[in-house]
Amino acid sequence: MIDLLHVELKRTWIQFIRYPAEVIAGLIITTSVFYGLFLSARYMAGPSFAFGDRLDAVVVGYVLWSLNLYIINDIAIGLQSEAQTGTLEQVFLSPWGSPRVFFARAVASLALRFTLISGIVLILMAISGSRLSFPPVLLLPFLTLVMAGYGFAFMMGACALVFKRVQQILGIFQFLLLFLLAAPFEQSTGVMQYLRFFLPMIPSTGLLRDLMARDLPLDWLTFGLALLNGLAYLGLGLLVFNWAEKMAKKRGSLGGY
């Protein structure tokens, strides 16, 4: 598995240096969209309005949304790209197995995306005046967030295998994901206070907002629930992907995009 990960890291880096314009354009678009929303909110609220720690929480939510878009789109778009270039069947014939190959590619891509997201965070902090904290312990809830994100990435990959064209599904899911990651469910009351632990990525996002925007200590009980949430959605994503792979092989439609 280490050899596979090393090869995928090398492959990702080669693609990046050959096609840097796409990555740079994504960086510019991501920051420009946030800046436009930020200016619009300030204009509507008036010059006397103070965001307080809400601005920091919004920045965290937007950055996590951007990161998860990269993660979730990676496998589905990668499948379509492999099919168009005629190499998808070779991937599924790999002795490593297709889930391991795509997981290694996703991890390799995440290493590059994480660097870009770090740059986006610094840019957003500069243009908005936000002041975020980065305690080392935030890596724990970040890991649970990534696990759940990969679970959905494999689900979208399964949709790509079964339905072939998933651009519309990905587009709709982007808005749903923005609602899930931007809304402060960790401050909810009533039934939603308990239901949020079953929603994807919500416990992890709440912990990251508490750590980065509100300077609160890590709630270990909530972290345990966030870990279960991440493992559950990752396991579900792998199960759905394996089912979709079997269906595609049974139909003989792996390369039929």
Side-chain angles (χ1 to χ4, degrees), residues 61-112:
Y62 184 81
V63 168
L64 295 180
W65 174 67
S66 303
L67 176 62
N68 275 282
L69 283 186
Y70 287 134
I71 292 174
I72 292 171
N73 291 346
D74 235 3
I75 293 179
I77 294 177
L79 279 166
Q80 293 185 349
S81 177
E82 292 282 355
Q84 291 170 358
T85 55
T87 56
L88 183 60
E89 292 181 347
Q90 284 83 353
V91 174
F92 280 91
L93 292 173
S94 167
W96 294 101
S98 58
R100 288 188 179 182
V101 172
F102 285 110
F103 186 78
R105 288 186 178 181
V107 172
S109 178
L110 178 64
L112 175 61

Side-chain angles (χ1 to χ4, degrees), residues 134-156:
F134 299 94
V137 74
L138 69 82
L139 291 176
L140 296 177
F142 178 78
L143 177 62
T144 62
L145 178 82
V146 169
M147 290 166 60
Y150 279 140
F152 272 93
F154 277 107
M155 291 182 198
M156 292 298 105

Side-chain angles (χ1 to χ4, degrees), residues 57-228:
V58 169
V59 171
V60 172
Y62 184 81
V63 168
L64 295 180
W65 174 67
S66 303
L67 176 62
N68 275 282
L69 283 186
Y70 287 134
I71 292 174
I72 292 171
N73 291 346
D74 235 3
I75 293 179
I77 294 177
L79 279 166
Q80 293 185 349
S81 177
E82 292 282 355
Q84 291 170 358
T85 55
T87 56
L88 183 60
E89 292 181 347
Q90 284 83 353
V91 174
F92 280 91
L93 292 173
S94 167
W96 294 101
S98 58
R100 288 188 179 182
V101 172
F102 285 110
F103 186 78
R105 288 186 178 181
V107 172
S109 178
L110 178 64
L112 175 61
R113 299 298 184 185
F114 184 76
T115 303
L116 296 176
I117 286 294
S118 299
I120 290 175
V121 171
L122 296 177
I123 294 173
L124 296 185
M125 289 174 63
I127 63 178
S128 67
S130 174
R131 294 294 179 266
L132 301 178
S133 301
F134 299 94
V137 74
L138 69 82
L139 291 176
L140 296 177
F142 178 78
L143 177 62
T144 62
L145 178 82
V146 169
M147 290 166 60
Y150 279 140
F152 272 93
F154 277 107
M155 291 182 198
M156 292 298 105
C159 290
L161 285 176
V162 175
F163 303 114
K164 308 306 180 185
R165 302 291 181 179
V166 294
Q167 284 84 352
Q168 297 299 324
I169 297 176
L170 291 173
I172 294 172
F173 189 73
Q174 287 179 6
F175 293 102
L176 176 61
L177 186 65
L178 178 60
F179 169 72
L180 287 175
L181 298 183
F185 286 101
E186 66 274 10
Q187 297 180 342
S188 59
T189 58
V191 178
M192 186 56 67
Q193 183 180 6
Y194 304 99
L195 182 62
R196 63 189 175 95
F197 293 109
F198 298 94
L199 297 174
M201 296 173 276
I202 297 302
S204 307
T205 305
L207 286 173
L208 289 169
R209 265 196 289 262
D210 287 341
L211 290 169
M212 299 176 68
R214 304 184 182 108
D215 292 324
L216 296 176
L218 180 64
D219 186 332
W220 290 100
L221 176 59
T222 304
F223 168 71
L225 296 172
L227 180 60
L228 291 175

